[in-house]
Amino acid sequence: MRLLHVAAEVFPLVKTGGLADVVAALPVAQAEQGADVRLLLPGYPAVLEAVQGARTIIDIGACFGALRVRLLLARMPGSKLPVYVIDAPYLYRRDGSPYQNLQGEEWPDNLQRFALLGWVAAHLAADDADPLWVPDIVHAHDWHAALACAYMAEHGPTRAASVYTVHNLAFQGLFPMHDWPALGLGSRLMSPTGLEFHGQLSFMKAGLKCADRITTVSPSYAREIATHEFGCGLDGVIRGRGADVVGVLNGIDPALWNPATDPAIATRFDAERLAGKHACRLALQAELGLQADEGGEAGQGSLLLTVISRLTAQKGLDLVLAALPELVRAGVQFAVQGTGEPALEAAFRMAQQAHPGRVHVHIGYDEARAHRLMAGADVIAVPSRFEPCGLTQLYGLRYGTVPVVRRVGGLADTVVDASPAALADGSATGFSFDAATPAAFERCVRRALELRAHPAAWQALMARGMAQNYSWQGPAQRYAALYEEALGQRGRVGLVGAG
Ligand code: ADP
C-alpha cells in the first residue's frame, strides 16, 4: 500500500510537540511492515537544509500568493524515507516556528501556507503531481494538513482514500470567513455543514467532515472529544461521524528513547542495571545545582520530580506551581523544562528563586537535556487538563521514571494507578488523580513519596513500567487495518449532519 503522510512538522527537522515525534516514527514502522511510505512537508529552511538528494518533481508556479512553487522529492536524513517538500520561498522560508513569528504571533498568511500543503497532497492523490507515484492513502495530521481531505472530496473520486488524525482538537486553524475565496474550494463546503464554524472558516472541520476515516491518538481521547467537556465545540461533528472516529494509541521510537543506548545520558541502564539510573540521578542533581542525596537506588532522600512540557493551560502546570511549596517541604525536588505562556514561565522562574537547591527551572527547548532529565528523575509529572495521548509519560515508563498523571485521555490509557489492588496484582505502573486541583495533585505526589520509602515496592513499580511495550509495531498494524477500511469506504462521506 502506498501511504502519504501530510504534516507540518517532523522530528528532528521541525518540532513543536508530540506531532513531530509521531510523524517521524510511524512512517518508519509502516515501512518496516512493508508499506511504501512517503511524507509531504512544507519547505521551511530547516527542512530544505536537512533533506538529502532533493530534485524537482514538478514546477507548480504561482499559487496561494506565492510566485515560485516547486514540489521536490528528497530523502529524510537518517531514515532515508522519501519525502516530498513544497519549496515555496515566499510562504515558508522565514525564521520562527512553523506557525508563529519570533514574537509569538501567528503568521498572517497561515491560511495560504497550510492550504497549499493540503492542495499539493490532493494533487498527488489525483495523479496530477508525480507521474511515478500515486498514494492509496493520504494520511493528514492535524489542522495544518486537514484541507487535503476537503480538496480530495471536492475533486471527486480518486483511487486514494483520506485518513485524518486529530493530535489536538484545541488547535483548529480558524480563519476569517472572508478568506474563503483564497482556498479555491467550491461554495458547497462554505456552510455550517461544511467548513464553517460559528462564522469562521475551520481547517479542523475540513478533516472532520471530509476524511474517509478519522483517528485520534488514544481510545480515551476518542471518547472524550465526542463530549461537550472536551469537544471544543466540535463534539456534535464528531458524534455525527459515529464509528468513523477511532483512537489509536501513539507509540514511541524505541531506538531514540532507550536508556540502554541513549548517548545523551550520563550512564546507560536498563531494568537489570538500575545502578546506572542512580548515576544519572546524581549527575542530574550536580548539573542542575540540586542538593545531592542518596535517593534513587536506595529509595531514600528527595523525590526528584521532572516536568518536560509546553507551558500552557492545557498541561495543568498551575497545579504544580500551587502545590510546589508544600511538596518541597515534604522532600520533593523539582526539575522543570519548558517554554510557553509568559506568565507560567515567570511563575516557574520565581519558584526556582524561592527554593534554591530544591527547584531548578530551564525555560527553553532542548532535546538532549530532556533525555538527561528523563534518565535522572524519579518521577515525571503530567497533570494535564486534557491530553490526547501524551508522550513524556511513555518516555518516563521506559526510563524507570514513574509517571504521576491526571486520569484523562492517553494518560488514562497508559498509566495504571498504584492502588492497593493494582500493587497487589502487579499491574501498577504509576500514579493518577482525577480532580484538576492542586490538592489532588499534591496527594498523588505524596502517594509516590510514601511508596518510594519502600525500595522493593518502588523498584517493582519501575521495572513494570520499563517492561511495557509502547513500540510503533502495534499501532502501525492498527493503522494498516484502518486504511483497508478507508479504501472500502472511499468517497462515501456525505457533507450532511451536525454543523
Ligand atoms: P504536546 O504534543 O501536547 O506538546 P506530547 O507529550 O505529546 O505533548 O509531546 C511533547 C514532546 O515534546 C515530547 O517529545 C517532549 O519530550 C517534547 N518537549 C516538550 N517540551 C520540551 C522542552 N522544553 N524541551 C525538550 N523537549 C520538549
Side-chain angles (χ1 to χ4, degrees):
M1 201 181 276
R2 291 176 167 185
L3 313 178
L4 180 70
H5 285 278
V6 189
E9 18 183 311
V10 64
F11 177 85
L13 280 44
V14 192
K15 172 170 167 175
T16 71
L19 168 66
D21 292 358
V22 173
V23 175
L26 171 62
V28 172
Q30 292 174 321
E32 280 167 12
Q33 290 179 8
D36 179 359
V37 195
R38 297 188 177 188
L39 306 182
L40 172 65
L41 302 171
Y44 317 116
V47 170
L48 288 167
E49 279 158 28
V51 296
Q52 296 169 346
R55 62 187 168 86
T56 303
I57 292 295
I58 184 167
D59 250 311
I60 297 172
C63 59
F64 293 97
L67 262 187
R68 287 182 296 122
V69 180
R70 290 182 307 156
L71 182 64
L72 313 179
L73 180 59
R75 289 191 176 270
M76 284 291 287
S79 70
K80 304 281 177 215
L81 208 70
V83 53
Y84 292 105
V85 180
I86 305 170
D87 184 24
Y90 187 78
L91 292 173
Y92 300 135
R93 223 174 267 180
R94 41 182 94 161
D95 295 334
S97 96
Y99 319 117
Q100 297 174 338
N101 64 19
L102 292 168
Q103 286 70 47
E105 298 150 349
E106 301 291 303
W107 294 115
D109 54 356
N110 271 347
L111 174 124
Q112 286 83 353
R113 298 172 75 235
F114 295 111
L116 174 60
L117 180 65
W119 185 79
V120 171
H123 281 266
L124 278 160
D127 193 5
D128 191 37
D130 184 348
L132 298 179
W133 198 88
V134 182
D136 299 304
I137 294 287
V138 172
H139 189 154
H141 297 270
D142 263 353
W143 73 261
H144 330 105
L147 273 198
C149 309
Y151 287 121
M152 286 170 71
E154 267 283 281
H155 179 263
T158 59
R159 84 174 205 206
S162 57
V163 172
Y164 178 56
T165 295
V166 179
H167 294 261
N168 192 333
L169 193 64
F171 299 107
Q172 301 189 351
L174 296 175
F175 299 94
M177 207 60 199
H178 60 69
D179 282 342
W180 180 269
L183 298 181
L185 280 167
S187 55
R188 185 175 75 108
L189 290 171
M190 200 179 115
S191 74
T193 57
L195 273 54
E196 188 182 331
F197 182 66
H198 299 293
Q200 288 184 290
L201 191 172
S202 163
F203 275 38
M204 177 64 81
K205 272 189 84 180
L208 296 179
K209 297 294 287 189
C210 303
D212 292 304
R213 293 299 294 248
I214 298 160
T215 78
T216 186
V217 289
S218 70
S220 285
Y221 193 59
R223 283 190 296 276
E224 288 169 356
I225 58 176
T227 66
H228 178 67
E229 186 185 354
F230 292 96
C232 302
L234 289 166
D235 40 297
V237 177
I238 288 161
R239 285 194 300 277
R241 292 300 307 261
D244 287 347
V245 185
V246 297
V248 180
L249 200 63
N250 282 337
I252 60 175
D253 185 332
L256 206 58
W257 289 95
N258 182 358
T261 56
D262 192 333
I265 65 179
T267 308
R268 293 171 196 160
F269 62 93
D270 54 32
E272 278 73 51
R273 294 176 295 159
L274 281 177
K277 180 155 178 80
H278 185 53
C280 288
R281 188 180 189 280
L282 288 173
L284 185 65
Q285 286 176 320
E287 176 186 345
L288 305 186
L290 294 171
Q291 286 163 15
D293 58 42
E294 282 309 308
E297 203 177 27
Q300 304 300 317
S302 316
L303 184 83
L304 178 43
L305 180 151
T306 190
V307 169
I308 304 162
S309 180
R310 291 185 292 116
L311 303 181
T312 66
Q314 174 197 339
K315 299 294 180 178
L317 298 170
D318 48 315
L319 311 184
V320 176
L321 280 163
L324 182 141
E326 274 305 314
L327 288 173
V328 166
R329 263 191 289 280
V332 179
Q333 290 187 350
F334 287 82
V336 177
Q337 174 165 314
T339 53
E341 289 166 14
L344 282 169
E345 292 186 356
F348 273 111
R349 281 201 186 97
M350 281 167 65
Q352 169 169 267
Q353 275 169 17
H355 304 281
R358 306 295 299 175
V359 176
H360 184 275
V361 174
H362 176 76
I363 301 298
Y365 192 96
D366 186 330
E367 282 286 333
R369 228 170 160 284
H371 284 245
R372 295 200 296 279
L373 288 167
M374 200 62 83
D378 301 311
V379 158
I380 177 149
V382 196
S384 306
R385 294 205 150 69
F386 67 92
E387 193 57 74
C389 177
L391 292 175
T392 55
Q393 84 281 12
L394 300 180
Y395 302 147
L397 288 170
R398 196 100 207 276
Y399 281 64
T401 305
V402 175
V404 170
V405 303
R406 184 147 179 265
R407 206 181 332 252
V408 285
L411 301 170
D413 291 341
T414 54
V415 176
V416 180
D417 181 60
S419 64
L423 283 172
D425 71 19
S427 59
T429 55
F431 299 86
S432 5
F433 63 100
D434 287 308
T437 62
F441 173 68
E442 187 188 324
R443 271 196 303 277
C444 198
V445 177
R446 283 182 185 276
R447 286 172 53 219
L449 262 170
E450 280 159 26
L451 193 75
R452 198 159 155 289
H454 305 279
W458 186 261
Q459 282 191 12
L461 190 68
M462 284 168 68
R464 211 165 302 118
M466 295 176 91
Q468 303 295 307
N469 177 5
Y470 284 109
S471 83
W472 273 104
Q473 256 123 42
Q477 280 164 3
R478 193 80 183 79
Y479 279 115
L482 266 161
Y483 295 154
E484 293 288 356
E485 288 169 25
L487 280 169
Q489 296 181 338
R490 203 170 12 179
R492 178 192 57 90
V493 182
L495 296 169
V496 289

